[in-house]
Amino acid sequence: MSTSAPLSSTERTRIRRLPERAASDRSALYEILDAGRICHLGVVVDGSPRVIPTGYGRDGDTLYLHGSTGATSLRTTEDVCVTVTHLDALVLARSLFHHSINYRSALIFGRPRPVTDLEEKLTGLRALVEQLTPGRWNVARRPTRKELAATSVLALSLEEASVKTRQGQPNDDEEDYALDVWAGLVPAVQSFGPPVPDPKLRPGIAYV
Amino acid sequence: MSTSAPLSSTERTRIRRLPERAASDRSALYEILDAGRICHLGVVVDGSPRVIPTGYGRDGDTLYLHGSTGATSLRTTEDVCVTVTHLDALVLARSLFHHSINYRSALIFGRPRPVTDLEEKLTGLRALVEQLTPGRWNVARRPTRKELAATSVLALSLEEASVKTRQGQPNDDEEDYALDVWAGLVPAVQSFGPPVPDPKLRPGIAYV
């Protein structure tokens, strides 16, 4: 699908609150997904929601999820919701009411398809590994047949998705700009520190 | 409730996968919640799950959520799941199969109660503000009656909760320790950069 193709407009993906925060093309969706490490997977179990942090990977217009074949949350053949969120800044307004966050979030809805084809399973696992730990697919030992059999991979179409973001400075009420209250942004930064080698690492192996 | 009181053990909070990663006392729950900024709120809308990033605050054994009185996700009188996750490190193993993340996560289940009492509403909003932007309750303009009326506050008991964490170095298969593959942790750091004042800020107001 073209990156400028419109995002879906189903009842679930219509942004009701603050529609000016909604993005409407696929490139915004891809950017948010590609910049993330983990998602929050929502499933319905016995009628009540369950939200689990987990890894994901994207290949074109397919999102891949994985887990042990024993995991309850992956046994679903029902609809799921996958949410990826970036916290970009705290928004400190002059009034508490207008305090907010700058964020980018993507919600994907749909019924995941269990991946049974071996080639697609490897495609999905590669996307998952490279999303979480870029570069490792070509470095670490590949999965054995037994490991592949113990791993469920699910494919979720990115067809039904919505994107919502907030950026910029606080929007205070006109009369509040006269207050002696500091206002602005406190940027949030997600970064990675220097690698910590496993004490069991054999000598002479460099971090890649 | 005492911080050493056991976490609940309902069907929903029983950790099925890797039960050794489950924590069993309330202090672990409080620590995870108190260290977070946003949660992922799971609700069921027309039978399908929806996962929304949002703020929260804790006061004792109550978690507070809030939003516009118009927000669909807060109109629920059904069960919700609130998840708070900290990504602590990427776990790079010698095999792809054992790649993982170090994380701390808390899941809270229950049926939120709309807060109608004005005093409790203020308690909830204070907890929400101080969670997201510590120190601002005593700095910024407090909510007016009109603003309070436009804000829904929900209270969720922390009674039914589970905590799951992974820490430490990778657990590779015995024979893989001989491989020439770097293994270890890449620590994830969530930090906040220097404040960026609103260009409309009146001169002479210091950041607090």
Side-chain angles (χ1 to χ4, degrees), chain A:
Chain A
M1 222 175 292
S2 154
T3 56
S4 60
L7 282 172
S8 74
S9 189
T10 63
E11 190 56 26
R12 290 193 290 205
T13 55
R14 190 163 58 82
I15 307 283
R16 290 168 188 78
R17 297 289 314 156
L18 308 174
E20 68 279 11
R21 294 188 184 170
S24 58
D25 65 65
R26 306 221 130 233
S27 61
L29 173 65
Y30 295 162
E31 277 173 33
I32 289 169
L33 295 178
D34 294 354
R37 298 285 178 150
I38 60 167
C39 66
H40 280 83
L41 167 67
V43 294
V44 179
V45 179
D46 298 334
S48 79
R50 180 181 301 241
V51 178
I52 307 135
T54 189
Y56 68 94
R58 179 176 82 86
D59 185 73
D61 269 307
T62 304
L63 195 84
Y64 289 101
L65 303 166
H66 80 319
S68 159
T69 47
T72 319
S73 52
L74 289 184
R75 274 191 222 136
T76 183
T77 53
E78 304 291 320
D79 280 3
V80 303
C81 173
V82 171
T83 298
V84 174
T85 305
H86 302 281
L87 174 62
D88 292 327
L90 310 177
V91 180
L92 278 51
R94 292 151 186 91
S95 67
L96 291 170
F97 187 73
H98 285 294
H99 274 57
S100 186
I101 55 171
N102 284 345
Y103 65 97
R104 290 161 292 146
S105 68
L107 273 68
I108 300 133
F109 297 93
R111 191 160 299 189
R113 167 177 60 80
V115 175
T116 50
D117 176 74
L118 182 63
E119 278 307 303
E120 191 186 4
K121 205 165 187 176
L122 288 168
T123 299
L125 289 173
R126 183 184 183 129
L128 276 146
V129 164
E130 291 295 302
Q131 183 78 39
L132 190 64
T133 53
R136 294 291 289 182
W137 186 260
N138 288 325
V139 171
R141 177 176 68 66
R142 299 277 170 89
T144 62
R145 274 183 183 283
K146 196 179 163 188
E147 288 171 344
L148 285 171
T151 307
S152 291
V153 175
L154 297 179
L156 180 63
S157 164
L158 292 180
E159 202 179 343
E160 191 178 352
S162 67
V163 164
K164 203 169 175 183
T165 65
R166 187 202 187 279
Q167 303 296 325
Q169 292 285 348
N171 297 314
D172 270 303
D173 293 341
E174 207 44 53
E175 59 272 27
D176 287 340
Y177 282 89
L179 295 174
D180 279 339
V181 176
W182 192 90
L185 305 177
V186 181
V189 185
Q190 165 80 66
S191 59
F192 291 93
V196 180
D198 184 351
K200 295 182 188 168
L201 187 65
R202 292 174 51 218
I205 304 177
Y207 170 71
V208 281

Side-chain angles (χ1 to χ4, degrees), chain B residues 174-192:
Chain B
E174 206 46 52
E175 60 271 27
D176 287 339
Y177 282 89
L179 294 175
D180 278 340
V181 176
W182 191 91
L185 305 177
V186 181
V189 185
Q190 165 79 66
S191 59
F192 291 92

Side-chain angles (χ1 to χ4, degrees), chain B residues 154-176:
Chain B
L154 297 180
L156 179 63
S157 164
L158 292 179
E159 201 179 342
E160 192 179 352
S162 67
V163 164
K164 203 170 174 182
T165 65
R166 188 205 186 278
Q167 303 297 325
Q169 291 285 347
N171 297 314
D172 270 303
D173 293 342
E174 206 46 52
E175 60 271 27
D176 287 339

Side-chain angles (χ1 to χ4, degrees), chain B residues 39 55 58 102 172 178 186:
Chain B
C39 66
R58 181 176 79 88
N102 283 345
D172 270 303
V186 181

